[in-house]
């Protein structure tokens, strides 16, 4: 009889441990589902799960890049108050915010010389379409080198991102929507 009670207690303990482990797995699956839903909403080339934006007051890191017009630019090339925008062609929020950015850029004082658009590489046709639109209003760079490129110098891993930067490379304002960034510039 004692052996039977020991077996029942052992089976009960094993079931309790199994229940705790199963609940942990279910919780973890819910977290993963949430992350996957965010990725699917963003589309290919969308934001990184733990994305980051530059910090206001931070200094942009050193960078060099070649624009689509063949011009070499660097952090030292920034003059005046430069609007810097980061886009990714496969990112749904980027495509959604592009028309607002183009409208804002057309009205911005200083024109193309004070607007820099950084495009993460993506599917060739989508990248070409996006850069063609951006070239009308901005100096455009396709940032091929994520580890040492312009986005890395700005600490941007989430798209879209919009920054105002002074001639010293200090970040004056950062937003995910250019309309809110315009409000910062008016203050």
């Amino acid at each position: 009889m004692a052996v039977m009670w020991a077996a029942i207690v052992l089976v009960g303990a094993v079931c309790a441990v199994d229940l705790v482990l199963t609940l942990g797995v279910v919780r973890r699956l819910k977290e993963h589902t949430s992350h996957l839903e965010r990725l699917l909403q963003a589309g290919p080339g969308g934001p990184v799960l733990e994305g980051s934006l530059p910090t206001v007051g931070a200094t942009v890191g050193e960078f060099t890049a070649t624009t689509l017009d063949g011009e070499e630019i660097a952090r030292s090339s920034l003059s005046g108050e430069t609007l810097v925008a980061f886009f990714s062609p496969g990112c749904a929020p980027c495509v959604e915010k592009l028309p607002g950015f183009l409208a804002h850029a057309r009205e911005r004082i200083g024109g193309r010389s004070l607007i820099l658009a950084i495009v993460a590489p993506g599917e060739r046709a989508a990248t070409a379409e996006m850069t063609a639109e951006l070239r009308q209003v901005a100096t455009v760079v396709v940032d091929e080198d994520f580890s040492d490129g312009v986005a890395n110098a700005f600490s941007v891993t989430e798209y879209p991102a919009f920054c105002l930067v002074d001639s010293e490379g200090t970040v004056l304002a950062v937003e995910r929507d250019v309309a809110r960034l315009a409000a910062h510039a008016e203050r």
Side-chain angles (χ1 to χ4, degrees):
M1 185 78 158
V3 173
M4 187 172 175
W5 280 109
I8 291 173
V9 169
L10 180 63
V11 169
V14 168
C15 288
V17 169
D18 183 53
L19 179 62
V20 169
L21 292 175
T22 301
L23 291 175
V25 169
V26 168
R27 183 180 60 82
R28 205 55 190 172
L29 284 172
K30 285 181 181 179
E31 290 174 11
H32 283 272
T33 300
S34 168
H35 289 312
L36 287 172
E37 285 173 352
R38 285 193 338 187
L39 283 174
L40 289 173
Q41 287 172 352
V48 177
L49 282 177
E50 296 301 324
S52 68
L53 297 175
T55 304
V56 173
T59 301
V60 174
E62 293 294 332
F63 67 87
T64 58
T66 304
T67 69
L68 293 182
D69 297 328
E71 177 187 353
E72 290 292 322
I73 62 167
R75 185 181 84 185
S76 60
S77 307
L78 300 174
S79 61
E81 190 174 277
T82 304
L83 170 60
V84 184
F86 294 86
F87 291 99
S88 178
C91 158
C94 294
V95 172
E96 177 186 310
K97 298 204 186 283
L98 183 61
F101 172 78
L102 295 171
H104 175 76
R106 284 186 186 98
E107 297 173 8
R108 186 165 166 73
I109 296 171
R112 289 182 79 224
S113 64
L114 293 178
I115 303 171
L116 179 60
I118 311 303
V119 179
E123 190 271 318
R124 183 176 287 160
T127 302
E129 182 180 332
M130 182 174 274
T131 57
E133 290 185 79
L134 289 168
R135 283 179 96 168
Q136 298 172 23
V137 298
T139 301
V140 180
V141 171
V142 176
D143 197 13
E144 299 286 347
D145 187 5
F146 287 115
S147 63
D148 199 29
V150 182
N152 187 53
F154 276 80
S155 301
V156 170
T157 61
E158 188 168 326
Y159 300 93
F162 304 96
C163 309
L164 286 178
V165 181
D166 70 12
S167 57
E168 303 299 314
T170 303
V171 178
L172 304 173
V174 179
E175 288 290 344
R176 292 170 200 241
D177 188 330
V178 75
R180 289 195 304 251
L181 189 67
H184 283 287
E186 293 170 2
R187 290 182 198 162

